[in-house]
Amino acid sequence: MYAVAAMREPTFLILTALADGPRHGYGIVQEVRVLSGGRTSLLTGTLYTALDRLTAEGLIEPDREEEVDGRTRRYYRLRSAGLAALTAETARLRQLATAAETRLRAVRPETA
C-alpha cells in the first residue's frame, strides 16, 4: 500500500466545502471560513488558482453557471476522485490525531 501524500489545508477545506453539494466561489470562501473557525480566509486569486488546479486534477468540476445582478456565478462540485481524495485525507488526519491523543493520554492521564 502506498502512503497518501498530505493535502494542503486550503485544498482540504475547499474539497470539504464541496462535500455536501455544489457551491460558487464566494460560497466556497464563506464555507471555508466557517469550517476553519475563521482561521482560514481564502483570497480570490488563491481560490480560483486552486479551483483551476483541482479541476485539472479531476477532483472537482464545474456544475452550472447562473447570472446574479449581472455577474456570472460558476458553481463547482466534487467528482468521485475528489470524494476519494477527501476520504483518504480525512482518514490520514484521523490516524495522526489518534496517535497524538494516545501519546498525550500517556503523558497526561487526567485528560483521558
Side-chain angles (χ1 to χ4, degrees), residues 24 26 64-69 71-75:
H24 57 79
Y26 185 65
R64 68 185 184 279
E65 290 184 354
E66 69 181 14
E67 290 288 324
V68 176
D69 296 328
R71 298 183 69 186
T72 302
R73 284 186 179 171
R74 178 176 286 164
Y75 287 73

Side-chain angles (χ1 to χ4, degrees), residues 34-81:
V34 169
L35 289 168
S36 69
R39 291 181 309 276
T40 301
S41 209
L42 295 175
L43 300 174
T44 304
T46 302
L47 172 68
Y48 286 101
T49 297
L51 293 175
D52 288 344
R53 178 179 51 80
L54 294 170
T55 299
E57 292 174 358
L59 301 179
I60 67 171
E61 65 187 357
D63 181 66
R64 68 185 184 279
E65 290 184 354
E66 69 181 14
E67 290 288 324
V68 176
D69 296 328
R71 298 183 69 186
T72 302
R73 284 186 179 171
R74 178 176 286 164
Y75 287 73
Y76 293 87
R77 68 172 173 234
L78 273 184
R79 297 186 68 193
S80 59

Side-chain angles (χ1 to χ4, degrees), residues 84-111:
L86 180 59
T87 300
E89 180 66 1
T90 300
R92 187 188 75 78
L93 293 171
R94 183 178 298 112
Q95 181 183 21
L96 291 173
T98 298
E101 288 171 343
T102 299
R103 290 184 182 216
L104 287 171
R105 276 194 298 274
V107 174
R108 297 180 165 189
E110 70 275 3
T111 62

